[in-house]
Amino acid sequence: MTAPAAGGHAIVLGASITGLVMARVMADHVERVTIVERDTLPDRPAWRRGVPQARHTHNLLAAGQRALDELFPGLTGQLRTAGMVPVRMPRDMLLLVAGGWVNRFDGPHVVLTGTRDLLDHHVRSRLREIPNVDWLEATEATGLLAADDGGVAGVRVRTRTAGGGTEESDLRADLVVDATGRTSQAGAWLRALGYDAPEESVVDPRTSYATCVFEPGPDQRRDWKCILIQSTEREPRQGILNPIEGGRWMVSVTGMNGERPPHDHDGFVEFARGLRTPVLYEALRTATPVSPVYGSGRTENRRRHYERLSRWPDRFIVAGDAFGSFNPSYGQGISVAARTAVAVGRAMAAARERNAGRLPAGLAARLRKPIAAEVNAAWALSAAADSGYPWAREGSQPLPDRLAGRYMQRLLRVVTDDQRAATALFDMTHLVAPPTVVFRPGIVAAVLRGPRRTVIDTVTPPADRGLIFEGERS
C-alpha cells in the first residue's frame, strides 16, 4: 500500500466488484474508507440481490487478471486454488465465431472461469484485510450532500434497522465514489445540485439469456473445457459452456432481437439444439441440471458521457457500470472495473506527487478522463459489434461503421485458420491491446487475402487430439 494522505475520508457506494476495487485504491490515498452497501454481505461465496448477474456465466479476461493481481497481489492464484478454472484460449475451447470454427493452438491468452459468488467472496476477503476500510451494510445512498464551494460534501443514507424500519442520516466525506452500477442515480443527484446530467449512448441488441448449472454426464471423453458459440445476423442465438468450481458446468444460452430462452430445463436444452451447431446440445443431453434456470433481460450497452460535462462537482467520482455498462455476452465488466481502479490509483498517486503528498482540489473532474478511456476501450468492441445487428440501431449505419463492419466480418473468417490474426483478435477481446491491433499491416494483409477455407462447417469442431479432459475436476 501507498502511505495514505494525512486525513481524509472516502465513501464508496456499492460493494460490487467496482466498489471493492475502488475502495482498495482509495485506501492508499485517504485515511479512512467506508463502503456503503444496500445488501447484507455474506461471509462465504453466495448469491445476493445486489448482483443479479452473478447467476450467469462469467469470464475473467487476461486484462482483468493482471489488474486484480496488481490491486491484490496473488489473488488470481487464490482463485485458481479455490476452484476457478484456467481455460487456454483457443487450445481448450470449441470456439465458433461468425466465420466458422477457430483452429486450436497454444496462445498466450488464458481466461479464468467460475462463479461470480466465488470471485466476489475472495475480493471481499482480501479487502477486509485492509485496516482503514470500514463496511456499512443494509444501507443505501439517497442523494449527495452539497458543499459550500459547489462540490460534494458526502451522502445522505437510509439504513434498515433491526426492527424493520429505516433511519436516515448524513455521512460526511472528502471523496464520494458512485459504484452502484446500471441503476445509478448519479444523473438525478447531479441535477439536484444544479449540474447537468450526462448525455447517454445506448446500443441495445435486445438480448435475453438464461443460465443453468449442470453436472457433466458420466464417462464423457472430451478434448475441451469450454464451448462458445457466437451468433450471426441470420442465426441470432448464442451459447456458452464454462467449467466452474466443483467440476460443474455453467451454461448460458442467448436469444437476440427479442427472443427469450425458456426458463425450464427441458426447454433450455431444446433451445440449445437450435444453435448454429449441435455441439452444445450434445454435451447437455447427458448432463444433469443441478440449479434452476435463471433469466436476464437487461443487457444493453449504455454509455453515460460524464467526461463531456463542462461543469463537475469536486470530490465526486463515478465508475464502473454507473459510467459505462456493456452487453454481458462479451465478459468485459469485471476487467474494465479492475483496470479503471488501477488507472485511477495511478492518477491519484501522480496528483499527490505534484501536490506535496496531498490530493488537490479539482482532482475528481480530472479523473473522468482515465475512467472514460477504460470504458472507451471496451465500448469499441461490444457496442460496435452489437450495432452491426439491424435490430440494435435506428436507421442505416454511417459509412465508416459499415466499412468497419465488413472488415470485421472478413476478419472473423480469416481468424478461423490464421493464428496471427486470431491472436490479434484475442488481444483485443481480452483488453490487453487497443482495437487498432486488428488493423496492423500484417493483419490487414491477411484480411485482404481472405480465408483459406471456402466452406464453413458448423457441425464438426476442430479437435485437439493431444488433450482428453476425462472426468476432470479442476
Side-chain angles (χ1 to χ4, degrees):
M1 290 179 60
T2 303
H9 176 213
I11 292 175
V12 177
L13 306 178
S16 62
I17 286 292
T18 298
L20 300 176
V21 295
M22 290 297 289
R24 167 65 188 87
V25 166
M26 294 297 123
D28 282 353
H29 299 288
V30 298
E31 186 175 19
R32 182 166 62 97
V33 178
T34 301
I35 298 175
V36 175
E37 169 52 46
R38 182 179 58 187
D39 290 344
T40 299
L41 297 171
D43 59 2
R44 57 185 177 82
W47 181 84
R48 64 183 181 88
R49 180 183 176 188
V51 192
Q53 294 295 332
R55 284 174 165 156
H56 302 282
T57 52
H58 280 74
N59 295 322
L60 184 53
L61 306 177
Q65 295 172 50
R66 295 177 187 178
L68 286 175
D69 273 339
E70 184 169 342
L71 296 166
F72 302 99
L75 176 64
T76 59
Q78 290 179 304
L79 293 172
R80 292 189 186 203
T81 300
M84 289 193 76
V85 182
V87 177
R88 298 172 299 171
M89 187 174 185
R91 170 65 76 192
D92 299 341
M93 301 179 68
L94 302 182
L95 174 57
L96 181 62
V97 299
W101 291 105
V102 176
N103 278 343
R104 298 163 70 180
F105 60 88
D106 286 318
H109 306 95
V110 176
V111 63
L112 283 183
T113 68
T115 62
R116 176 68 181 269
D117 298 344
L118 182 70
L119 174 62
D120 281 9
H121 170 71
H122 280 269
V123 177
R124 281 197 305 268
S125 297
R126 289 292 298 269
L127 191 61
R128 289 188 187 279
E129 297 173 0
I130 299 177
N132 62 332
V133 176
D134 298 324
W135 304 72
L136 185 58
E137 302 176 31
T139 302
E140 62 180 322
T142 59
L144 300 173
L145 303 179
D148 293 340
D149 62 0
V152 170
V155 291
R156 182 77 171 170
V157 299
R158 181 188 300 120
T159 302
R160 298 193 301 275
T161 62
T166 60
E167 294 179 351
E168 294 196 1
S169 58
D170 293 343
L171 298 179
R172 299 282 169 175
D174 302 286
L175 278 173
V176 174
V177 180
D178 179 9
T180 56
R182 287 177 179 261
T183 61
S184 166
Q185 298 300 304
W189 294 348
L190 288 173
R191 285 194 295 268
L193 294 183
Y195 293 87
D196 292 332
E199 298 176 349
E200 293 190 1
S201 298
V202 179
V203 177
D204 187 359
R206 298 174 61 203
T207 298
S208 298
Y209 54 96
T211 300
C212 184
V213 177
F214 289 83
E215 185 72 31
D219 301 322
Q220 290 207 24
R221 294 177 57 84
R222 56 192 184 276
D223 67 346
W224 48 265
K225 291 183 180 180
C226 174
I227 300 173
L228 176 55
I229 302 164
Q230 298 182 345
S231 64
T232 67
E233 184 177 329
R234 291 184 177 181
E235 299 173 286
R237 287 185 176 185
Q238 299 184 146
I240 183 171
L241 180 156
N242 272 352
I244 62 173
E245 56 270 23
R248 298 165 296 160
W249 293 339
M250 181 172 278
V251 182
S252 292
V253 292
T254 302
M256 307 179 75
N257 194 19
E259 182 183 27
R260 293 181 174 272
H263 291 175
D264 64 281
H265 291 128
D266 290 342
F268 182 96
V269 175
E270 188 62 25
F271 186 90
R273 188 205 288 263
L275 297 174
R276 296 169 59 201
T277 170
V279 170
L280 180 58
Y281 168 75
E282 291 297 333
L284 297 183
R285 220 164 39 87
T286 58
T288 302
V290 293
S291 81
V293 177
Y294 296 105
S296 178
R298 187 169 186 186
T299 59
E300 78 278 4
N301 304 276
R302 183 178 298 273
R303 274 291 316 268
R304 297 180 172 112
H305 295 282
Y306 289 108
E307 76 280 7
R308 296 179 182 175
L309 295 175
S310 59
R311 296 176 61 244
W312 187 260
D314 200 12
R315 299 177 293 278
F316 183 52
I317 301 169
V318 181
D321 283 358
F323 201 114
S325 55
F326 317 99
N327 182 342
S329 298
Y330 299 95
Q332 299 169 309
I334 296 171
S335 295
V336 171
R339 283 172 58 93
T340 296
V342 169
V344 166
R346 291 173 180 169
M348 293 179 74
R352 284 181 58 185
E353 186 175 351
R354 294 190 300 265
N355 198 49
R358 296 183 176 275
L359 296 174
L363 175 62
R366 296 195 293 275
L367 289 176
R368 291 177 296 168
K369 184 175 181 179
I371 294 172
E374 297 300 332
V375 172
N376 289 342
W379 184 267
L381 174 63
S382 60
D386 283 349
S387 66
Y389 297 110
W391 56 81
R393 62 178 186 268
E394 294 183 3
S396 61
Q397 283 183 298
L399 179 60
D401 292 348
R402 292 202 303 272
L403 293 176
R406 290 173 186 171
Y407 179 88
M408 291 303 296
Q409 289 174 4
R410 195 170 177 87
L411 174 67
L412 289 175
R413 290 291 307 279
V414 170
V415 300
T416 61
D417 57 11
D418 187 308
Q419 182 171 329
R420 185 164 68 160
T423 299
L425 178 67
F426 299 150
D427 282 344
M428 179 178 73
T429 56
H430 276 257
L431 303 177
V432 296
T436 53
V437 69
V438 297
F439 295 99
R440 289 176 179 169
I443 308 303
V444 171
V447 171
L448 292 177
R449 286 194 302 270
R452 291 187 289 269
R453 295 179 184 174
T454 58
V455 177
I456 300 176
D457 177 7
T458 60
V459 176
T460 309
D464 182 345
R465 299 304 179 188
L467 292 174
I468 295 292
F469 300 104
E470 184 176 11
E472 181 176 84
R473 292 293 181 265
S474 299

